[in-house]
Amino acid sequence: MVEILKLAQEWSKEKRQLALATVISTWGSAPMPSGSQLLIDSEGNFEGSVSGGCVEGAVIHEAFDVIETGTPKVLEYQVVDDDAFEVGLACGGDIRIYLEPVEGLKPMKRTVLKELLEAQNLRKQVVVLTKVQSGYQQLVYTTDQNYSVEGVKQHIAEVFSSGENRFVEIEGEEIFLQVFNPHKQLIIIGAVHISQKLVPLARLSGYECIVIDPRDAFANDNRFSGVTVVNEWPQDVLFNYVLDDWTAFVSVTHDPKIDDPALMHSLKSKCFYIGALGSKKTHSKRRIRLIEAGVEESHLDLIHAPIGLDIHARGPAEISLSIMAEMTACFWQSRGVT
C-alpha cells in the first residue's frame, strides 16, 4: 500500500491527474484483501490491484469520471462463475471499492498523503479515517485523539491493536479505517552463509532486511544484493535503527565479540523476535557472559536459542527455513493469533 502511495506522490509531481481505488470491504473469497489499492491516471496507466485482474477494467473506466468530476464514489462488484474461477474466486465474492481523486482534490488529501508517508519513514503506525460518502479524511496517530466521528474510538483502538483494516457504520455514517503499519524489518547480525539463505526468504515474506557485520570480506554487495549492508560493529550502528514490535532480530556470527553486544542492544528493544545461533551448550555459556555484562537473567528468556523451529534442519538453507518459520510464528503470536 505504501509503495502505491509513494507512486501517487511521484505521479502527482508530474502533474498527472489521478484516481486512487481502495478495497474497503470484501465478502466471500475475494482475491485481494481490504486495503489493496489501484492507482490510475487520466491516460489509463495504472499500478497496483484491487481484484487480481477481475474488475480492474471496470474500475479504470470509473476512474476517468472521478478524475473529471473530482467527486469520490463507492463501487460494488459481484464476481461469480467463470470470471471468479479465473482469478482465484473459486466460490465467487463481492468487492466494495472506494474510488477517489488525488490530484485536484481538496488540500486535505495532499496533506494526508504527505503526513502518511512521513509517518511511514518514522516507523509510526497510523490510521486513516475516511468518511466514505463525503471523502473527508483524518489521520489518527493515537487512540487518545479527538475524532471527527462520535463512537469510533473503540474501533480505532481495535484497528491499532490488530493491525488490520475495518469498515464500520456508525449512526448511518460509513467509515473506513485503514491502518498503515511500519514495514516489517529484519536485522541480521552476521553476513554469513545462513544470512545469504535467510535474506531471500525474509524478503519474500515482506521484510526489509539490514545485514550488519564489521568484516568486509563477509558483508559486501557481491554477497548480498538488494539489501542494506553495513560494515560496522553492531554496537556502533544499531542506535540508528528503530527496533520496534515490527522488527525481528537475529544474530548468527557465532562470534561472541560481535553477537553479544548486538544481543544486549536488542534485549532493550521491542523486537517481536530475537534469535541467536548456537547449540544449547553454546547458549548456556552466552547466558553466563551476558549476565556478567549486566543483563537481567529474566531478559535472556527472550532469546530464541538454539535459533529456529526444531525441524532437524541441516545446512544453511534448512536452518534459514527454520528461522523464518519461527519468526513467522512469533510475529502472529505477538498479534494475538494463536
Side-chain angles (χ1 to χ4, degrees):
M1 291 185 295
V2 174
E3 293 307 314
I4 291 295
L5 294 179
K6 287 180 179 177
L7 186 61
Q9 194 174 57
E10 292 174 9
W11 283 9
S12 182
K13 290 177 181 178
E14 296 172 3
K15 306 301 181 183
R16 300 197 202 186
Q17 294 193 319
L18 311 171
L20 181 66
T22 304
V23 177
I24 57 176
S25 57
T26 63
W27 297 267
S29 54
M32 301 297 290
S34 169
S36 300
Q37 293 185 311
L38 175 69
L39 180 67
I40 310 108
D41 74 5
S42 57
E43 300 299 318
N45 299 299
F46 64 92
E47 290 289 342
S49 178
V50 289
S51 72
C54 193
V55 302
E56 266 71 6
V59 173
I60 291 169
H61 180 75
E62 294 285 354
F64 297 148
D65 181 60
V66 165
I67 290 172
E68 183 177 348
T69 63
T71 303
K73 63 172 64 176
V74 176
L75 311 173
E76 295 188 29
Y77 298 98
Q78 184 177 44
V79 186
V80 294
D81 302 330
D82 293 340
D83 289 339
F85 188 78
E86 287 177 6
V87 295
L89 283 156
C91 301
D94 294 343
I95 307 170
R96 200 168 192 213
I97 295 168
Y98 180 65
L99 183 62
E100 59 183 320
V102 177
E103 187 63 31
L105 192 65
K106 302 172 185 177
M108 171 196 69
K109 178 61 186 179
R110 291 192 293 273
T111 300
V112 166
L113 180 58
K114 179 175 179 292
E115 292 183 2
L116 178 57
L117 293 176
E118 288 175 352
Q120 285 287 301
N121 289 334
L122 296 173
R123 297 190 60 79
K124 290 183 178 180
Q125 188 182 36
V126 63
V127 172
V128 178
L129 181 156
T130 300
K131 293 183 178 181
V132 172
Q133 287 90 340
S134 67
Y136 172 87
Q137 291 184 318
Q138 176 185 5
L139 247 62
V140 181
Y141 293 95
T142 72
T143 55
D144 297 328
Q145 271 184 242
N146 292 322
Y147 306 116
S148 57
V149 180
E150 293 292 333
V152 77
K153 183 172 183 177
Q154 182 59 37
H155 295 292
I156 290 282
E158 291 171 0
V159 168
F160 270 119
S161 176
S162 68
E164 297 181 352
N165 301 326
R166 180 168 296 195
F167 178 76
V168 298
E169 186 172 335
I170 301 175
E171 297 183 358
E173 181 88 67
E174 292 183 325
I175 307 295
F176 181 50
L177 303 174
Q178 186 175 10
V179 62
F180 289 84
N181 302 306
H183 57 265
K184 292 187 291 186
Q185 70 175 353
L186 171 61
I187 306 292
I188 303 176
I189 307 301
V192 297
H193 199 177
I194 290 173
S195 306
Q196 288 180 295
K197 302 299 183 182
L198 179 58
V199 163
L201 287 176
R203 294 182 70 187
L204 284 171
S205 300
Y207 287 82
E208 179 179 286
C209 298
I210 300 166
V211 180
I212 302 174
D213 195 315
R215 303 167 297 183
D216 293 348
F218 286 79
N220 58 68
D221 292 336
N222 291 329
R223 286 166 53 81
F224 294 89
S225 60
V227 299
T228 300
V229 178
V230 182
N231 291 128
E232 301 285 350
W233 288 89
Q235 61 269 33
D236 294 335
V237 295
L238 282 173
F239 293 99
N240 297 328
Y241 300 96
V242 178
L243 305 187
D244 51 24
D245 58 358
W246 293 83
T247 302
F249 190 99
V250 302
S251 200
V252 290
T253 71
H254 224 296
D255 183 341
K257 296 191 302 297
I258 302 174
D259 285 341
D260 286 4
L263 289 169
M264 290 175 65
H265 185 93
S266 70
L267 291 171
K268 299 175 184 177
S269 73
K270 296 181 179 179
C271 294
F272 73 84
Y273 177 81
I274 300 172
L277 187 67
S279 65
K280 291 181 180 179
K281 182 177 180 180
T282 297
H283 187 56
S284 294
K285 294 178 179 178
R286 178 191 292 127
R287 288 179 66 98
I288 293 172
R289 291 195 307 271
L290 293 178
I291 290 172
E292 291 176 346
V295 177
E296 292 186 22
E297 187 169 4
S298 60
H299 290 177
L300 297 177
D301 294 335
L302 298 173
I303 302 175
H304 293 264
I307 196 170
L309 291 183
D310 185 4
I311 59 172
H312 306 290
R314 296 291 186 273
E318 291 184 0
I319 293 172
S320 298
L321 181 63
S322 73
I323 295 171
M324 196 67 236
E326 189 172 53
M327 278 172 49
T328 303
C330 289
F331 176 79
W332 290 112
Q333 288 168 6
S334 71
R335 266 69 193 165
V337 178
T338 57

